[in-house]
Amino acid sequence: MTTGDAVMRRATRAELAGLPVDVAPALLGARLRTVVDGEEVRIRITEVEAYHGRGTGDVPDPGSHARMGRTARNATMWGEPGHLYVYLSHGIHSCVNVVCGSEGVAGGVLLRAGEVESGVEAAVARRGTHPPRDLARGPGRFGQASGLRHPVHDGIDAITGAVQDGAMAELWLGERLAFEAGPRVGVAGVAGTGLFPWRFWIPGDRTVSPFRWGRGAAAAALDTPGVTPVLD
């Protein structure tokens, strides 16, 4: 895949086998290409967040779906890297995560925002009429624009591109870009403070979503020694 001056290559499992917090910045500028019910959409990834499961890395992540261990909901996070963990948020929005880490070690990178580069008409049909920057700005919008839905597309393989329930997905990587990092958006308590600066974004990109504190996170930041609340 060639996009402008950028030459992209298909992602490999080995490239996604590290800790999510280490893999996440490499996904900035990557492309997620989906074909759902015959409609192709390609999204340039501009904002991501890393999440670790129980026993992943040196610091327990209280903000992760897998913080308590394996469940039916988070089972995909414990599988091979390169599959997509598609979960339902607030009972409405399908959100897309790239599974990272070794098989049997839970972790994922939430695709928080992106720019729809091709398939705009399909994205608009799924999302309704919105300014171009907002088509995939935020994880729920990103999931909707991509066409991937929970539960039918949970676990779809973005490395092989195998068809699952009328859909396929491919992850394409390019050169690593400069990035900024800070607290995760809307994550409750200490998991949403500067102790976990695991949100990464492309500086100045118009599709990056606005920051907001999660429940109790601002207070937790003020009460935690050495943590200074930082907004982008």
mmCIF file of all heavy atoms in Angstrom, residues 130-157:
data_model
loop_
_atom_site.group_PDB
_atom_site.id
_atom_site.type_symbol
_atom_site.label_atom_id
_atom_site.label_comp_id
_atom_site.label_asym_id
_atom_site.label_seq_id
_atom_site.Cartn_x
_atom_site.Cartn_y
_atom_site.Cartn_z
ATOM 1 N N HIS A 130 -21.350 14.041 9.003
ATOM 2 C CA HIS A 130 -20.518 14.710 10.001
ATOM 3 C C HIS A 130 -19.369 15.401 9.289
ATOM 4 O O HIS A 130 -19.014 15.022 8.168
ATOM 5 C CB HIS A 130 -19.937 13.699 11.005
ATOM 6 C CG HIS A 130 -20.973 13.046 11.866
ATOM 7 N ND1 HIS A 130 -21.449 13.614 13.023
ATOM 8 C CD2 HIS A 130 -21.615 11.861 11.743
ATOM 9 C CE1 HIS A 130 -22.349 12.819 13.569
ATOM 10 N NE2 HIS A 130 -22.470 11.751 12.816
ATOM 11 N N PRO A 131 -18.757 16.422 9.895
ATOM 12 C CA PRO A 131 -17.525 16.969 9.328
ATOM 13 C C PRO A 131 -16.494 15.856 9.157
ATOM 14 O O PRO A 131 -16.440 14.926 9.978
ATOM 15 C CB PRO A 131 -17.074 17.985 10.389
ATOM 16 C CG PRO A 131 -18.320 18.332 11.136
ATOM 17 C CD PRO A 131 -19.152 17.084 11.141
ATOM 18 N N PRO A 132 -15.661 15.909 8.099
ATOM 19 C CA PRO A 132 -14.699 14.833 7.843
ATOM 20 C C PRO A 132 -13.831 14.469 9.040
ATOM 21 O O PRO A 132 -13.565 13.299 9.287
ATOM 22 C CB PRO A 132 -13.856 15.390 6.687
ATOM 23 C CG PRO A 132 -14.791 16.312 5.973
ATOM 24 C CD PRO A 132 -15.638 16.934 7.044
ATOM 25 N N ARG A 133 -13.434 15.464 9.834
ATOM 26 C CA ARG A 133 -12.542 15.169 10.952
ATOM 27 C C ARG A 133 -13.227 14.324 12.022
ATOM 28 O O ARG A 133 -12.569 13.673 12.840
ATOM 29 C CB ARG A 133 -12.005 16.448 11.584
ATOM 30 C CG ARG A 133 -12.996 17.160 12.496
ATOM 31 C CD ARG A 133 -12.318 18.210 13.344
ATOM 32 N NE ARG A 133 -13.244 18.725 14.358
ATOM 33 C CZ ARG A 133 -12.884 19.580 15.307
ATOM 34 N NH1 ARG A 133 -11.644 20.024 15.378
ATOM 35 N NH2 ARG A 133 -13.771 19.993 16.186
ATOM 36 N N ASP A 134 -14.561 14.337 12.047
ATOM 37 C CA ASP A 134 -15.296 13.665 13.116
ATOM 38 C C ASP A 134 -15.748 12.251 12.759
ATOM 39 O O ASP A 134 -16.323 11.559 13.611
ATOM 40 C CB ASP A 134 -16.521 14.490 13.506
ATOM 41 C CG ASP A 134 -16.158 15.772 14.227
ATOM 42 O OD1 ASP A 134 -15.039 15.841 14.772
ATOM 43 O OD2 ASP A 134 -16.974 16.707 14.232
ATOM 44 N N LEU A 135 -15.512 11.807 11.536
ATOM 45 C CA LEU A 135 -16.013 10.495 11.125
ATOM 46 C C LEU A 135 -15.451 9.363 11.983
ATOM 47 O O LEU A 135 -16.144 8.390 12.265
ATOM 48 C CB LEU A 135 -15.686 10.242 9.647
ATOM 49 C CG LEU A 135 -16.591 10.946 8.638
ATOM 50 C CD1 LEU A 135 -16.068 10.727 7.229
ATOM 51 C CD2 LEU A 135 -18.029 10.457 8.760
ATOM 52 N N ALA A 136 -14.180 9.483 12.405
ATOM 53 C CA ALA A 136 -13.567 8.438 13.230
ATOM 54 C C ALA A 136 -12.853 9.060 14.419
ATOM 55 O O ALA A 136 -11.853 8.544 14.903
ATOM 56 C CB ALA A 136 -12.590 7.604 12.402
ATOM 57 N N ARG A 137 -13.382 10.165 14.922
ATOM 58 C CA ARG A 137 -12.772 10.905 16.030
ATOM 59 C C ARG A 137 -13.398 10.461 17.340
ATOM 60 O O ARG A 137 -14.468 10.915 17.732
ATOM 61 C CB ARG A 137 -12.972 12.400 15.812
ATOM 62 C CG ARG A 137 -12.175 13.290 16.752
ATOM 63 C CD ARG A 137 -12.499 14.745 16.481
ATOM 64 N NE ARG A 137 -11.598 15.640 17.196
ATOM 65 C CZ ARG A 137 -11.965 16.814 17.689
ATOM 66 N NH1 ARG A 137 -13.220 17.231 17.554
ATOM 67 N NH2 ARG A 137 -11.093 17.564 18.311
ATOM 68 N N GLY A 138 -12.734 9.561 18.030
ATOM 69 C CA GLY A 138 -13.263 8.921 19.228
ATOM 70 C C GLY A 138 -13.470 7.443 18.956
ATOM 71 O O GLY A 138 -13.750 7.037 17.821
ATOM 72 N N PRO A 139 -13.305 6.583 19.966
ATOM 73 C CA PRO A 139 -13.302 5.131 19.725
ATOM 74 C C PRO A 139 -14.620 4.571 19.218
ATOM 75 O O PRO A 139 -14.629 3.641 18.409
ATOM 76 C CB PRO A 139 -12.925 4.550 21.091
ATOM 77 C CG PRO A 139 -13.242 5.624 22.082
ATOM 78 C CD PRO A 139 -13.008 6.921 21.364
ATOM 79 N N GLY A 140 -15.759 5.125 19.683
ATOM 80 C CA GLY A 140 -17.039 4.648 19.182
ATOM 81 C C GLY A 140 -17.240 5.004 17.726
ATOM 82 O O GLY A 140 -17.711 4.193 16.914
ATOM 83 N N ARG A 141 -16.872 6.227 17.362
ATOM 84 C CA ARG A 141 -16.970 6.656 15.972
ATOM 85 C C ARG A 141 -16.019 5.866 15.090
ATOM 86 O O ARG A 141 -16.362 5.508 13.957
ATOM 87 C CB ARG A 141 -16.660 8.150 15.871
ATOM 88 C CG ARG A 141 -17.660 9.053 16.569
ATOM 89 C CD ARG A 141 -17.173 10.488 16.551
ATOM 90 N NE ARG A 141 -18.108 11.395 17.208
ATOM 91 C CZ ARG A 141 -17.887 12.694 17.357
ATOM 92 N NH1 ARG A 141 -16.757 13.229 16.909
ATOM 93 N NH2 ARG A 141 -18.787 13.462 17.953
ATOM 94 N N PHE A 142 -14.815 5.611 15.595
ATOM 95 C CA PHE A 142 -13.835 4.829 14.843
ATOM 96 C C PHE A 142 -14.405 3.454 14.525
ATOM 97 O O PHE A 142 -14.356 2.992 13.379
ATOM 98 C CB PHE A 142 -12.537 4.703 15.649
ATOM 99 C CG PHE A 142 -11.385 4.123 14.877
ATOM 100 C CD1 PHE A 142 -10.317 4.919 14.512
ATOM 101 C CD2 PHE A 142 -11.350 2.778 14.528
ATOM 102 C CE1 PHE A 142 -9.239 4.395 13.792
ATOM 103 C CE2 PHE A 142 -10.284 2.246 13.827
ATOM 104 C CZ PHE A 142 -9.225 3.063 13.453
ATOM 105 N N GLY A 143 -14.943 2.801 15.539
ATOM 106 C CA GLY A 143 -15.509 1.474 15.325
ATOM 107 C C GLY A 143 -16.650 1.494 14.334
ATOM 108 O O GLY A 143 -16.750 0.632 13.452
ATOM 109 N N GLN A 144 -17.517 2.486 14.449
ATOM 110 C CA GLN A 144 -18.668 2.571 13.552
ATOM 111 C C GLN A 144 -18.221 2.829 12.126
ATOM 112 O O GLN A 144 -18.737 2.219 11.177
ATOM 113 C CB GLN A 144 -19.605 3.676 14.029
ATOM 114 C CG GLN A 144 -20.975 3.655 13.364
ATOM 115 C CD GLN A 144 -21.935 4.639 14.003
ATOM 116 O OE1 GLN A 144 -21.544 5.462 14.832
ATOM 117 N NE2 GLN A 144 -23.193 4.569 13.619
ATOM 118 N N ALA A 145 -17.268 3.746 11.931
ATOM 119 C CA ALA A 145 -16.778 4.040 10.590
ATOM 120 C C ALA A 145 -16.116 2.822 9.949
ATOM 121 O O ALA A 145 -16.248 2.591 8.746
ATOM 122 C CB ALA A 145 -15.793 5.206 10.637
ATOM 123 N N SER A 146 -15.419 2.038 10.756
ATOM 124 C CA SER A 146 -14.735 0.846 10.228
ATOM 125 C C SER A 146 -15.715 -0.234 9.811
ATOM 126 O O SER A 146 -15.376 -1.106 8.996
ATOM 127 C CB SER A 146 -13.769 0.282 11.269
ATOM 128 O OG SER A 146 -14.464 -0.430 12.297
ATOM 129 N N GLY A 147 -16.909 -0.226 10.393
ATOM 130 C CA GLY A 147 -17.905 -1.253 10.104
ATOM 131 C C GLY A 147 -17.795 -2.487 10.970
ATOM 132 O O GLY A 147 -18.650 -3.377 10.888
ATOM 133 N N LEU A 148 -16.773 -2.570 11.822
ATOM 134 C CA LEU A 148 -16.600 -3.735 12.683
ATOM 135 C C LEU A 148 -17.569 -3.649 13.862
ATOM 136 O O LEU A 148 -17.704 -2.589 14.484
ATOM 137 C CB LEU A 148 -15.157 -3.816 13.185
ATOM 138 C CG LEU A 148 -14.098 -3.980 12.082
ATOM 139 C CD1 LEU A 148 -12.697 -3.972 12.676
ATOM 140 C CD2 LEU A 148 -14.333 -5.256 11.282
ATOM 141 N N ARG A 149 -18.205 -4.765 14.181
ATOM 142 C CA ARG A 149 -19.263 -4.751 15.192
ATOM 143 C C ARG A 149 -19.061 -5.864 16.217
ATOM 144 O O ARG A 149 -18.634 -6.968 15.891
ATOM 145 C CB ARG A 149 -20.643 -4.938 14.541
ATOM 146 C CG ARG A 149 -20.981 -3.927 13.458
ATOM 147 C CD ARG A 149 -22.386 -4.126 12.917
ATOM 148 N NE ARG A 149 -22.598 -5.455 12.374
ATOM 149 C CZ ARG A 149 -22.266 -5.838 11.148
ATOM 150 N NH1 ARG A 149 -21.673 -4.983 10.336
ATOM 151 N NH2 ARG A 149 -22.514 -7.061 10.728
ATOM 152 N N HIS A 150 -19.371 -5.529 17.441
ATOM 153 C CA HIS A 150 -19.439 -6.518 18.516
ATOM 154 C C HIS A 150 -20.826 -7.158 18.488
ATOM 155 O O HIS A 150 -21.824 -6.469 18.290
ATOM 156 C CB HIS A 150 -19.210 -5.828 19.861
ATOM 157 C CG HIS A 150 -19.481 -6.716 21.040
ATOM 158 N ND1 HIS A 150 -18.520 -7.543 21.552
ATOM 159 C CD2 HIS A 150 -20.602 -6.909 21.779
ATOM 160 C CE1 HIS A 150 -19.035 -8.199 22.580
ATOM 161 N NE2 HIS A 150 -20.303 -7.845 22.734
ATOM 162 N N PRO A 151 -20.915 -8.481 18.685
ATOM 163 C CA PRO A 151 -19.832 -9.435 18.956
ATOM 164 C C PRO A 151 -19.329 -10.160 17.711
ATOM 165 O O PRO A 151 -18.377 -10.921 17.797
ATOM 166 C CB PRO A 151 -20.516 -10.426 19.900
ATOM 167 C CG PRO A 151 -21.930 -10.485 19.390
ATOM 168 C CD PRO A 151 -22.262 -9.090 18.930
ATOM 169 N N VAL A 152 -19.960 -9.937 16.553
ATOM 170 C CA VAL A 152 -19.689 -10.809 15.398
ATOM 171 C C VAL A 152 -18.266 -10.693 14.873
ATOM 172 O O VAL A 152 -17.733 -11.644 14.299
ATOM 173 C CB VAL A 152 -20.699 -10.564 14.261
ATOM 174 C CG1 VAL A 152 -22.093 -10.981 14.681
ATOM 175 C CG2 VAL A 152 -20.695 -9.109 13.808
ATOM 176 N N HIS A 153 -17.631 -9.525 15.071
ATOM 177 C CA HIS A 153 -16.283 -9.336 14.535
ATOM 178 C C HIS A 153 -15.206 -9.361 15.616
ATOM 179 O O HIS A 153 -14.030 -9.136 15.312
ATOM 180 C CB HIS A 153 -16.215 -8.038 13.736
ATOM 181 C CG HIS A 153 -17.180 -8.015 12.591
ATOM 182 N ND1 HIS A 153 -17.947 -6.907 12.267
ATOM 183 C CD2 HIS A 153 -17.519 -8.992 11.703
ATOM 184 C CE1 HIS A 153 -18.703 -7.190 11.216
ATOM 185 N NE2 HIS A 153 -18.474 -8.446 10.862
ATOM 186 N N ASP A 154 -15.583 -9.609 16.859
ATOM 187 C CA ASP A 154 -14.581 -9.751 17.915
ATOM 188 C C ASP A 154 -13.660 -10.917 17.572
ATOM 189 O O ASP A 154 -14.120 -12.013 17.253
ATOM 190 C CB ASP A 154 -15.266 -10.005 19.260
ATOM 191 C CG ASP A 154 -14.279 -10.135 20.406
ATOM 192 O OD1 ASP A 154 -13.217 -9.479 20.354
ATOM 193 O OD2 ASP A 154 -14.577 -10.890 21.349
ATOM 194 N N GLY A 155 -12.346 -10.675 17.619
ATOM 195 C CA GLY A 155 -11.369 -11.716 17.324
ATOM 196 C C GLY A 155 -10.948 -11.785 15.881
ATOM 197 O O GLY A 155 -10.096 -12.613 15.524
ATOM 198 N N ILE A 156 -11.472 -10.925 15.008
ATOM 199 C CA ILE A 156 -11.085 -10.955 13.597
ATOM 200 C C ILE A 156 -9.574 -10.755 13.469
ATOM 201 O O ILE A 156 -8.966 -10.006 14.233
ATOM 202 C CB ILE A 156 -11.878 -9.885 12.814
ATOM 203 C CG1 ILE A 156 -11.786 -10.121 11.313
ATOM 204 C CG2 ILE A 156 -11.430 -8.473 13.181
ATOM 205 C CD1 ILE A 156 -12.758 -9.268 10.509
ATOM 206 N N ASP A 157 -8.967 -11.439 12.518
ATOM 207 C CA ASP A 157 -7.509 -11.468 12.386
ATOM 208 C C ASP A 157 -7.050 -10.410 11.389
ATOM 209 O O ASP A 157 -7.287 -10.537 10.182
ATOM 210 C CB ASP A 157 -7.066 -12.857 11.930
ATOM 211 C CG ASP A 157 -5.569 -13.079 12.061
ATOM 212 O OD1 ASP A 157 -4.827 -12.089 12.212
ATOM 213 O OD2 ASP A 157 -5.140 -14.253 12.006
#
